[in-house]
Amino acid sequence: MSLIVQKYGGSSVADAESIRRVAKRIVDTKRAGNEVVVTVSAMGDTTDDLIELAHEISPIPDPREFDMLVTTGERISMALLAMAIKSMGYDARSYTGSQAGMITDSKHGDARIVDVTPVRVREALDEGAIAIVAGFQGFNRDTRDITTLGRGGSDTTAVALAAALTADRCEIYSDVDGIYTADPRVVPKAHKLAAISSEEMLELAGSGAKVLHIRAVEYARRQGVTLIARSSFSSDPGTIIYNPDNAKEFAVEEASIAGVSHDLSQAKITVVGVPDVPGSAAAIFNIVAQQGANIDMIVQNVQTQNDGVTDISFTLPKTSAEQVLRALEAAHEQLGYESLRFDDQIGKVSLVGSGMRTNIGVSARLFEALNEAGINIDMISTSEIRISIITNADVVPEAARVIHTAFGLDGDSEAVVYAGTGR
């Protein structure tokens, strides 16, 4: 008997018909002789609707009450799914994050899991039931408050449960058949990968790919959980996300290039005319860090017309930009810069592949492809297995398609996205 954890995204449980379809898939897994634990997201756009409602009530919602509000979506879908399974003659029991033992720190909106004690889930399995757990949420023991894990946190819930229960595998269901070489809604000729290393998946997720949440991939890698990305709308076997050390177990050979991802959620801030002395950059980024902003790319250029100053540009999430700008403006006298520039009409395109380590000429081919398409590059960032560029937001889709074609990633037919959201 195998223990399988399955996670279903919002598009998979968008309405009553979808919930019944998911329930049948779960029952089929149980009927095959497996123990089954399910993590479920809120139905369709429920979370977005709740967030919009909260901001209609208050421009800056109280964090505790905001978490109480947005976690209701998952509780609705878990209860309905349990009802659907019971109507098919199988026992199912739904649990909130706190009932399932998802213990987190006290940070509302982006809590981290500190412990998982799925006692009630294990009891349900031992009694032959299917356990349904609300994703995205947890509980802090000190404050005794409900917390949320951040957008996409249901993936992390599923992986955490799989690790705590020593599950045989964790299946992440969305509305695409697996991990593609690019977002098929932007690059129609993207093709599905049979397998991808967790290292490559981390880079893709961190660069904008939305099929898997980056924290879930990191958790799975750290805990040795085997992930499979599948669609709840088809019987396609999906994509295996494996740890590089276990490549032989899955009989895969790492490809030179895994895929192309893009991200339109970032903005760029340039601090112009910073004194070119030791400690200037540290002072700037200490202020940014105090605002809780995650910086992605950083570029520093010495001004040719003024040897004593430098310009420092960096990218960060648009959601953090306004707060960071205010903090930098308040520290103008302390930092001694000339001016600030802000650009929220940018996008990032990334090429990812573990084979970059041993393949010469990858950078040259990428830049030549962009040059031939007349696409200008603003910033560049690299790692051992990734090259990322910043360009104007309006040319990001074309840049993704051009790079995808240049590296021979185009498939023979157009990819299918069943519900249109990618989750």
Side-chain angles (χ1 to χ4, degrees), residues 1-286:
M1 178 184 291
S2 296
L3 197 167
I4 299 172
V5 175
Q6 297 180 339
K7 178 263 176 178
Y8 292 91
S11 61
S12 297
V13 292
D15 51 35
E17 181 182 354
S18 299
I19 290 173
R20 284 192 291 267
R21 185 185 63 250
V22 165
K24 182 181 183 304
R25 184 183 289 268
I26 295 167
V27 166
D28 287 344
T29 306
K30 174 67 175 176
R31 192 182 290 126
N34 302 297
E35 293 183 312
V36 186
V37 177
V38 177
T39 298
V40 65
S41 297
M43 297 172 63
D45 297 324
T46 298
T47 301
D48 290 332
D49 293 340
L50 290 171
I51 291 172
E52 183 178 344
L53 181 60
H55 286 286
E56 287 180 11
I57 298 296
S58 171
I60 306 177
D62 177 81
R64 180 188 183 277
E65 303 310 325
F66 188 78
D67 275 359
M68 289 292 284
L69 173 69
V70 296
T71 54
T72 59
E74 282 71 22
R75 292 202 295 274
I76 292 169
S77 55
M78 76 179 192
L80 291 173
L81 184 57
M83 292 176 192
I85 292 170
K86 287 182 178 182
S87 72
M88 297 177 182
Y90 284 78
D91 189 13
R93 303 175 194 175
S94 63
Y95 301 99
T96 64
S98 58
Q99 289 174 325
M102 303 298 299
I103 311 303
T104 74
D105 61 23
S106 60
K107 185 178 181 181
H108 288 290
D110 193 26
R112 296 279 169 168
I113 296 171
V114 297
D115 194 13
V116 184
T117 56
V119 176
R120 297 186 67 180
V121 173
R122 185 65 262 178
E123 288 174 352
L125 294 176
D126 291 341
E127 293 171 11
I130 296 167
I132 314 292
V133 179
F136 170 63
Q137 59 189 250
F139 176 78
N140 180 259
R141 285 175 172 146
D142 295 330
T143 64
R144 293 181 291 180
D145 283 337
I146 300 299
T147 57
T148 59
L149 307 180
R151 297 307 298 268
S154 293
D155 288 0
T156 308
T157 300
V159 172
L161 284 169
L165 294 164
T166 59
D168 293 272
R169 64 181 183 270
C170 180
E171 301 174 344
I172 307 293
Y173 287 87
S174 67
D175 59 8
V176 290
D177 286 329
I179 307 301
Y180 279 74
T181 50
D183 185 339
R185 294 163 298 174
V186 174
V187 184
K189 289 200 172 181
H191 71 273
K192 185 176 71 70
L193 299 167
I196 185 173
S197 72
S198 57
E199 184 180 33
E200 291 169 324
M201 192 64 239
L202 277 172
E203 290 283 9
L204 285 173
S207 301
K210 295 180 174 63
V211 176
L212 288 177
H213 194 233
I214 187 169
R215 281 169 59 183
V217 179
E218 178 56 37
Y219 202 124
R221 184 184 188 188
R222 204 167 53 241
Q223 298 293 329
V225 174
T226 297
L227 285 178
I228 301 177
R230 301 184 63 183
S231 171
S232 63
F233 295 83
S234 76
S235 58
D236 191 281
T239 302
I240 296 171
I241 297 89
Y242 63 91
N243 288 328
D245 293 342
N246 300 331
K248 292 182 179 179
E249 178 182 343
F250 298 104
V252 297
E253 181 180 356
E254 292 184 348
S256 174
I257 301 299
V260 179
S261 61
H262 71 280
D263 185 4
L264 291 168
S265 68
Q266 296 192 0
K268 182 179 72 169
I269 294 175
T270 300
V271 188
V272 180
V274 179
D276 191 16
V277 297
S280 292
I284 291 171
F285 292 117
N286 277 334

Side-chain angles (χ1 to χ4, degrees), residues 48 76 168 184 190 225 260 285 301 307 324 328 396 405 414 423:
D48 290 332
I76 292 169
D168 293 272
V225 174
V260 179
F285 292 117
N301 293 311
D307 292 338
V324 170
L328 291 173
V396 163
T405 299
E414 291 193 4
R423 291 203 60 82

